[in-house]
Amino acid sequence: VQLVESGGGLVQPGGSLRLSCAASGFTFSSYVMSWYRQAPGKERELVASITSAGGSTNYATSMKGRFTISRDNAKNTVYLLMNSLKPEDTAVYYCRAQGIATIPAFRGMDYWGKGTLVTVSS
């Protein structure tokens, strides 16, 4: 099982980035996918999540309207488009896969990527 994040980097305030998370080794379409972030000295927090078929999304309040999560089940990839970035968005961004609870074979399965660093600074 692998979750590999990419797309992080240095961006100026007000700029945009698109993160990608490429999944392999599991049935991607049967997993809820989420993005989390952890800033220096802070706890890891949920950024956004998307249901297995992509029909429903959920965002943390501070990201709503600026960030968009999406997925392509044909490519086993989940994305996070981040607009209007602020210095306080600086963090390591992690991808998480959680098996859908309605299918016993996937219930409780939980995988994390290693993260990609996003730095928002002028």
Side-chain angles (χ1 to χ4, degrees), residues 70-81:
S70 61
R71 66 190 293 163
D72 185 339
N73 284 354
K75 295 183 178 179
N76 287 358
T77 302
V78 62
Y79 306 96
L80 184 69
L81 175 62

Side-chain angles (χ1 to χ4, degrees), residues 54-71:
S56 181
T57 57
N58 179 56
Y59 296 91
T61 302
S62 62
M63 290 73 152
K64 202 172 293 186
R66 298 191 299 125
F67 292 7
T68 303
I69 188 171
S70 61
R71 66 190 293 163

Side-chain angles (χ1 to χ4, degrees), residues 44-106:
R44 194 171 296 189
E45 63 175 344
L46 175 67
V47 174
S49 61
I50 186 167
T51 52
S52 56
S56 181
T57 57
N58 179 56
Y59 296 91
T61 302
S62 62
M63 290 73 152
K64 202 172 293 186
R66 298 191 299 125
F67 292 7
T68 303
I69 188 171
S70 61
R71 66 190 293 163
D72 185 339
N73 284 354
K75 295 183 178 179
N76 287 358
T77 302
V78 62
Y79 306 96
L80 184 69
L81 175 62
M82 306 185 293
N83 295 321
S84 303
L85 284 162
K86 307 173 183 179
E88 51 264 43
D89 294 318
T90 295
V92 177
Y93 284 72
Y94 298 90
C95 178
R96 182 184 188 184
Q98 294 170 277
I100 55 177
T102 54
I103 300 179
F106 300 117

Side-chain angles (χ1 to χ4, degrees), residues 11-22:
V11 62
Q12 292 188 341
S16 298
L17 278 178
R18 189 179 81 154
L19 306 183
S20 299
C21 172

